[in-house]
Amino acid sequence: NEKLSGKVVALGTGRILDNGKTVPFNVKVGDKVFLSSYAGDNEVTYEGEDLTIVDQSQILAVIE
């Protein structure tokens, strides 16, 4: 199912813990990933392209 996979096109700064430390991402821009079936509630259009914003916890695996 194409909706359950995607390509990472941008990343934020990482999750900030209560102690102020940042947890870095386990993915990088360009990675193709499988997503949880619950991913995809945050859809936006940016510069004419439809994108979905997901939390790293919604990424199940990197496939490329």
Side-chain angles (χ1 to χ4, degrees):
N1 184 340
E2 195 62 34
K3 183 127 172 106
L4 297 180
S5 66
K7 182 177 179 183
V8 179
V9 296
L11 296 168
T13 57
R15 185 169 50 108
I16 300 174
L17 302 175
D18 291 338
N19 65 8
K21 295 193 185 240
T22 301
V23 177
F25 287 100
N26 294 323
V27 296
K28 63 185 180 310
V29 171
D31 284 349
K32 186 170 182 182
V33 295
F34 280 132
L35 302 170
S36 163
S37 60
Y38 300 104
D41 291 336
N42 300 306
E43 296 180 358
V44 298
T45 300
Y46 179 73
E47 294 185 353
E49 188 173 1
D50 294 329
L51 304 170
T52 302
I53 299 172
V54 299
D55 187 89
Q56 180 168 251
S57 66
Q58 297 173 321
I59 298 173
L60 302 177
V62 176
I63 52 178
E64 279 183 20

